Amino acid sequence: QVQLVESGGGLVQPGGSLKLSCAASGSIDSIDAMYWYRRRPGKLRELVARISSDGPINSTNSVKGRFTISRDNAKNTVILQMNSLKPEDTAVYFCKADSGYMVFWGQGTLVTVSS
């Protein structure tokens, strides 16, 4: 089992920055890839960024150049640094971990981009 706890959400003005953290605990050695997803109001959950255990990174086109995913293995944490935030980035952001054939989700953290 893997437990994931997100933090760092909040209210930010357009153009601002936030850093989201996802702390993993439990069977962390079994984690392959970790992800950030988001669910914007009225929309389906969508992939934001992915990072593998060996480092390859992917992110969706709408956040490229603005969001950066990184992994601190010493702290068992995945970070999503979000810069140049736009109102359309308002969403609940979720962390996900793949462990073999199992998938684990965090509870989500709300990001609101508004003036």
Side-chain angles (χ1 to χ4, degrees):
Q1 293 292 316
V2 174
Q3 294 79 43
L4 303 171
V5 178
E6 301 98 332
S7 61
L11 174 64
V12 62
Q13 292 187 342
S17 298
L18 277 178
K19 184 172 78 171
L20 304 183
S21 297
C22 173
S25 61
S27 301
I28 55 176
D29 291 341
S30 68
I31 294 175
D32 301 315
M34 295 191 72
Y35 308 76
W36 282 100
Y37 280 76
R38 67 184 180 186
R39 186 175 65 237
R40 294 185 284 178
K43 297 186 179 295
L44 297 176
R45 190 161 51 189
E46 61 181 347
L47 175 65
V48 175
R50 171 188 184 272
I51 186 167
S52 300
S53 58
D54 57 355
I57 294 172
N58 305 95
S59 60
T60 190
N61 287 337
S62 62
V63 306
K64 282 183 177 177
R66 300 189 298 122
F67 291 11
T68 302
I69 188 171
S70 60
R71 190 166 177 169
D72 185 339
N73 289 327
K75 296 181 179 179
N76 303 320
T77 299
V78 173
I79 304 295
L80 185 68
Q81 178 65 47
M82 305 187 296
N83 299 326
S84 302
L85 282 160
K86 304 175 182 180
E88 52 264 41
D89 294 318
T90 294
V92 179
Y93 285 74
F94 298 89
C95 179
K96 188 186 90 167
D98 286 349
S99 175
Y101 60 88
M102 300 182 71
V103 175
F104 301 93
W105 290 91
Q107 82 288 350
T109 185
L110 176 63
V111 172
T112 303
V113 184
S114 175
S115 55

